[in-house]
């Protein structure tokens, strides 16, 4: 089995699917191994659950994605996406997702490459929402989806933008 550093060194695209609390230590360990032109995809959302309540963690950089950007080498681009989809929904490969997924990033190219990954999943439409700072809103929308799930005792709330063709 590869180490994280070895996997990052071989990858054109690195998808960060770890708890927010693990992002900084992991990126410290693998930072030097990213290749020029690599794309990092941040899917993390800084949420915590304590005493039966969910809360967003205050991130000094503004969002988890901006936290990641601050720790990546300059030669690596970053997009934030797959933040609003519950993991168990992504795990069910037999189910069409039938929703939209927001994509933000530090460049047009990063958003385009990330959108290509989103479109590979059946029933998922990529919505380019612009600059990486939009991850702040996306992460709040994710907290809203979690609240909807809890309030209505469901497990797969997700979003569809109407009026877009």
């Amino acid at each position: 089995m590869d180490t994280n550093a070895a996997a990052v060194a071989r990858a054109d695209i690195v998808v960060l699917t770890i708890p927010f609390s693990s992002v900084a230590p992991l990126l410290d360990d693998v930072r030097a191994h990213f290749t020029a032109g690599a794309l990092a995809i941040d899917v993390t959302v800084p949420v915590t659950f304590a005493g039966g309540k969910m809360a967003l963690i205050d991130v000094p950089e503004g969002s988890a994605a901006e936290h990641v950007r601050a720790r990546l080498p300059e030669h690596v681009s970053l997009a934030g996406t797959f933040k609003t989809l519950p993991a168990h929904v992504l795990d069910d490969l037999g189910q069409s997702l039938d929703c939209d997924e927001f994509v933000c990033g530090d460049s047009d190219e990063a958003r385009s490459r990330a959108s290509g990954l989103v479109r590979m999943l059946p029933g998922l439409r990529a919505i380019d929402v612009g600059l990486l700072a939009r991850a702040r809103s996306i992460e709040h929308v994710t907290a809203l989806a979690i609240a909807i799930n809890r309030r209505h005792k469901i497990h797969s709330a997700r979003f569809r933008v109407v009026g877009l063709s």
Side-chain angles (χ1 to χ4, degrees), residues 94-161:
Q95 174 183 319
S96 175
L97 295 168
D98 192 33
C99 64
D100 295 328
E101 182 54 30
F102 305 113
V103 180
C104 62
D106 60 10
S107 68
D108 291 340
E109 181 185 357
R111 291 189 304 276
S112 177
R113 289 174 71 190
S115 292
L117 287 178
V118 170
R119 287 190 299 271
M120 290 175 76
L121 298 175
L124 196 56
R125 179 175 67 166
I127 305 285
D128 183 336
V129 297
L131 298 176
L132 197 61
R134 295 275 162 69
R136 298 172 188 192
S137 298
I138 295 168
E139 292 167 12
H140 280 269
V141 166
T142 302
L144 177 63
I146 293 167
I148 290 168
N149 282 331
R150 296 180 98 182
R151 172 98 177 149
H152 296 280
K153 296 177 179 45
I154 61 174
H155 301 288
S156 57
R158 48 198 189 272
F159 301 97
R160 166 74 66 195
V161 176

Side-chain angles (χ1 to χ4, degrees), residues 37-49:
L39 170 66
I41 306 271
D42 171 49
V43 305
T44 60
V45 179
V47 294
T48 185
F49 297 90

Side-chain angles (χ1 to χ4, degrees), residues 5-109:
V8 165
R10 285 195 332 273
D12 293 326
I13 299 176
V14 175
V15 182
L16 300 171
T17 59
I18 57 176
F20 177 72
S21 60
S22 301
V23 167
L26 174 72
L27 290 176
D28 287 346
D29 288 344
V30 302
R31 177 183 168 85
H33 300 279
F34 280 94
T35 60
L39 170 66
I41 306 271
D42 171 49
V43 305
T44 60
V45 179
V47 294
T48 185
F49 297 90
K53 300 203 185 248
M54 184 259 327
L56 280 169
I57 298 168
D58 184 36
V59 180
E61 295 87 352
S63 69
E66 291 165 302
H67 180 80
V68 169
R69 175 70 268 166
R71 286 154 179 82
L72 285 174
E74 287 184 27
H75 63 269
V76 176
S77 58
L78 176 66
T81 193
F82 299 116
K83 289 179 176 271
T84 64
L85 293 168
H88 72 275
V89 172
L90 283 171
D91 283 343
D92 186 355
L93 299 177
Q95 174 183 319
S96 175
L97 295 168
D98 192 33
C99 64
D100 295 328
E101 182 54 30
F102 305 113
V103 180
C104 62
D106 60 10
S107 68
D108 291 340
E109 181 185 357

